């Protein structure tokens, strides 16, 4: 087992390895192959199947590639193209995390959003912007 690991490490020397673009290709490839199984009686299914495997093979080709500068440039281009969608998802994840811990209230006077930790019972909230106070359950 240890021998296998050493062999693999030696094999990967000078090769590019995994990056975000390869991970994306692998996940997309697996999803497309799975989708193709739902279309098994349809010629479109075969096309999906081949595309899915092509994506997986491309992922492995990139991982084992020795042309690291070219692979790195591809990954940078991928990250640049997906920047907006990736930040959108990480923002959504953040909002969900905050929602579990905090309750967001809106000041009845000036509409300022106020973040209050959950589970403190009935509390008086003072708006930091206009100093209006109001009672809420957190
Ligand atoms: Zn206010």
């Amino acid at each position: 087992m240890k021998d296998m690991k050493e062999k693999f490490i030696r094999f990967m020397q000078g090769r590019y390895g995994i990056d975000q673009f390869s991970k994306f290709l692998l996940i997309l490839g697996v999803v497309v192959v799975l989708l193709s199984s739902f279309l098994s009686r349809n010629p479109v299914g075969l096309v999906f199947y081949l595309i899915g495997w092509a994506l997986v093979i491309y992922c492995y080709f990139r991982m084992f590639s020795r042309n690291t500068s070219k692979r790195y440039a591809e990954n940078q281009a991928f990250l640049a193209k997906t920047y907006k969608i990736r930040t959108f998802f990480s923002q959504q994840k953040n909002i969900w995390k905050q929602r579990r811990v905090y309750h967001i209230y809106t000041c009845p006077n000036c509409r300022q959003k106020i973040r209050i930790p959950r589970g403190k019972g009935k509390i008086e909230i003072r708006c930091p912007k206009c100093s209006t106070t109001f009672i809420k359950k957190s």
Side-chain angles (χ1 to χ4, degrees), residues 24-137:
F24 171 77
L25 288 170
L26 186 63
I27 291 165
L28 188 66
V30 169
V31 168
V32 171
V33 169
L34 286 176
L35 277 177
S36 79
S37 65
F38 292 108
L39 298 163
S40 55
R41 283 164 197 278
N42 194 314
V44 177
L46 180 66
V47 174
F48 267 60
Y49 184 78
L50 292 174
I51 289 172
W53 274 110
L55 288 167
V56 172
I57 290 164
Y58 185 44
C59 161
Y60 279 96
F61 160 75
R62 293 189 76 257
M63 269 171 66
F64 300 145
S65 170
R66 290 183 187 278
N67 191 349
T68 51
S69 58
K70 198 172 175 194
R71 301 288 89 80
Y72 178 77
E74 282 171 0
N75 191 50
Q76 291 305 106
F78 167 75
L79 291 178
K81 267 182 201 152
T82 55
Y83 177 75
K84 271 187 189 162
I85 188 139
R86 281 183 299 111
T87 46
F88 173 79
F89 279 114
S90 67
Q91 269 171 3
Q92 295 306 307
K93 212 171 134 191
N94 238 326
I95 288 169
W96 270 107
K97 243 192 214 160
Q98 297 246 332
R99 264 195 203 151
R100 266 193 316 185
V101 187
Y102 297 101
H103 212 130
I104 309 290
Y105 293 108
T106 308
C107 171
N109 185 41
C110 71
R111 317 309 297 167
Q112 166 77 32
K113 291 215 184 328
I114 305 160
R115 207 177 64 170
I116 301 295
R118 284 181 179 277
K120 299 254 185 257
K122 234 180 187 182
I123 50 162
E124 191 187 66
I125 299 162
R126 176 185 281 271
C127 172
K129 206 171 159 193
C130 69
S131 297
T132 304
T133 54
F134 54 101
I135 308 268
K136 287 278 177 186
K137 237 174 82 184

